[in-house]
Amino acid sequence: MRDVLPTLVERWRNGETVGLTTVVATYGSAPRQPGAATARLADGGVIGSVSGGCVEGAVYELAGDVVESGTAQTERYGIADDDAFAVGLTCGGTIDVFCEPVSRETWPDLDEIGAAVDARRPVAVATVTSSDQPDVPVGAHLTIAPERARGSLGEPELDRVVVQDARGLLDLGETSILRYGPQGLRTGDGIAVFVNSMAPSPRLIVFGAVDYAAALAHAGAALGYHVTVCDARPVFATPARFPAAHEVVVDWPHRYLRAEMAAGRIDSRTAICVLTHDPKFDVPALQAAFESPEGVYIGAMGSRRTHDDRMRRLREEGATDAALARLHSPIGLDLGGRTPAETAVSIMAEIIAVRRGGTGVTLTNLTDHIHPGISRIQPDPTRVGG
């Protein structure tokens, strides 16, 4: 939903009704994860995707029907059969989508959700996708922030329980379907509530105002990271040189990083990339990075010779073996890249692999499931390919 939210809020403010379709559950090798969304606009345009192309046409028609009827509904799309005209997923998975009409009447606080996302404040949206209770209407919304909640799903006790559970998911950055019985009983399953967690975008902090940093800022922004480029040299650290970065900071890297950690703006989804090649910058920056929470990606650019010299200097400054084990250096995967853009792809590929638990092995040689997050099976040794 985050991808379509800016346009959705804009059309909402103009008084339009938009057909919003959201993936609420996946089974097997699904192309998009829960929370992915597409919107059919009042002028017939479309933004976003729920399947990467497999069922977009069917979903587009579904959204038109939902806007016309004013009634939200859930649809399931499974494996396509041999009929060329069948609607289904060619990847072999199944997705459940929830389609609803979005307007000022159906979602009066949508602008608050947009404002929270713009301000990088965590927010979750709980939506009733099915209900066997007359007081809990399908399509009801509850907007949940860490400090407050707005809206109602129809029953006060259900609201209370959903707020508790949704805040737990929001803390983890997870999106999921929750099921309840009457009055919010967690042992029931007659009410399905989809909780869409929209935590702030993960951060990519790049130290070193060099050409590789410009390419990395482009790559990181394209992958949904909030990109900061930081360098102590004001002549190089300018917004004009880094148009893809969300912010360009003139400061000593170690001082900036410690200030961000003290302010609580560094979490386990953050990636820190040191591209300076200069010990007076990168050694203090890496020392500060080692103080960051577990899970933070820490990478440093340089040749093998630079790496060995850097490791020696870090040890002399007191870095422990445990701290040094967190360092990805030389940074990136071995893609054979040469240009700054190719190097940026290599770096982001490693960040994705570390964050998602990937192997970096080519899919041609992978004998397990391609998509993460599904049950694993024993590989067939005679099978080649993904």
Side-chain angles (χ1 to χ4, degrees):
M1 181 178 171
R2 180 193 296 274
D3 294 341
V4 304
L5 189 58
T7 301
L8 196 64
V9 171
E10 177 187 354
R11 298 303 179 98
W12 178 90
R13 287 173 177 157
N14 291 338
E16 298 180 20
T17 300
V18 174
L20 176 66
T21 307
T22 306
V23 177
V24 295
T26 64
Y27 311 92
S29 187
R32 301 294 306 275
Q33 295 302 302
T38 182
R40 176 170 174 163
L41 309 177
D43 58 10
V46 62
I47 55 173
S49 170
V50 295
S51 71
C54 304
V55 299
E56 301 302 328
V59 168
Y60 183 82
E61 296 300 324
L62 172 65
D65 294 341
V66 164
V67 169
E68 183 176 352
S69 68
T71 303
Q73 63 183 89
T74 300
E75 288 288 341
R76 172 168 292 182
Y77 298 99
I79 303 171
D81 59 25
D82 293 331
D83 182 352
F85 296 98
V87 174
L89 301 178
T90 57
C91 61
T94 301
I95 62 171
D96 288 345
V97 301
F98 180 71
C99 188
E100 59 185 317
V102 174
S103 66
R104 287 179 175 271
E105 289 71 32
T106 65
W107 209 333
D109 62 340
L110 183 65
D111 58 339
E112 289 193 11
I113 300 169
V117 171
D118 287 344
R120 295 181 52 77
R121 298 194 305 269
V123 62
V125 178
T127 304
V128 177
T129 58
S130 66
S131 171
D132 62 358
Q133 299 296 308
D135 294 335
V136 181
V138 171
H141 301 108
L142 186 59
T143 301
I144 300 120
E147 71 286 350
R148 64 188 292 263
R150 180 176 175 180
S152 176
L153 304 183
E155 291 181 352
E157 189 59 23
L158 176 63
D159 291 345
R160 184 186 68 80
V161 174
V162 169
V163 167
Q164 291 177 348
D165 294 345
R167 283 178 176 154
L169 290 174
L170 186 58
D171 285 343
L172 299 173
E174 294 183 358
T175 290
S176 181
I177 285 267
L178 304 177
R179 299 189 180 276
Y180 303 92
Q183 304 298 315
L185 289 175
R186 291 188 174 94
T187 55
D189 63 1
I191 302 170
V193 178
F194 176 64
V195 178
N196 192 348
S197 293
M198 287 176 279
S201 301
R203 295 192 66 184
L204 173 64
I205 302 176
V206 183
F207 293 124
V210 297
D211 51 354
Y212 288 98
L216 186 56
H218 278 285
L223 290 172
Y225 282 79
H226 182 89
V227 180
T228 301
V229 175
C230 176
D231 196 296
R233 301 166 297 178
V235 68
F236 295 113
T238 65
R241 296 188 67 230
F242 303 96
H246 296 90
E247 55 185 353
V248 179
V249 176
V250 178
D251 200 351
W252 281 83
H254 67 282
R255 184 167 60 190
Y256 171 77
L257 188 54
R258 286 196 171 102
E260 290 297 287
M261 286 189 285
R265 291 191 286 264
I266 304 295
D267 61 26
S268 61
R269 301 176 304 148
T270 301
I272 299 170
C273 299
V274 179
L275 311 183
T276 53
H277 294 89
D278 188 333
K280 69 175 177 290
F281 289 109
D282 60 13
V283 169
L286 290 171
Q287 287 179 291
F290 293 150
E291 301 167 11
S292 65
E294 288 296 324
V296 170
Y297 172 92
I298 305 170
M301 179 177 281
S303 66
R304 292 289 179 187
R305 182 176 179 177
T306 300
H307 166 77
D308 291 342
D309 179 69
R310 180 189 295 128
M311 295 291 279
R312 178 183 61 80
R313 291 173 183 271
L314 286 168
R315 287 193 176 95
E316 289 175 352
E317 293 296 327
T320 65
D321 289 342
L324 294 174
R326 299 179 62 187
L327 178 60
H328 298 267
S329 173
I331 196 171
L333 296 183
D334 178 16
L335 303 183
R338 292 290 185 267
T339 67
E342 290 173 340
T343 301
V345 172
S346 165
I347 294 171
M348 292 310 303
E350 183 177 58
I351 291 172
I352 293 169
V354 170
R355 184 177 176 191
R356 302 296 190 190
T359 63
V361 175
T362 61
L363 294 181
T364 301
N365 296 322
L366 185 68
T367 57
D368 209 341
H369 285 297
I370 293 174
H371 295 289
I374 56 179
S375 59
R376 295 286 178 171
I377 59 173
Q378 293 297 317
D380 180 351
T382 66
R383 180 169 173 262
V384 177

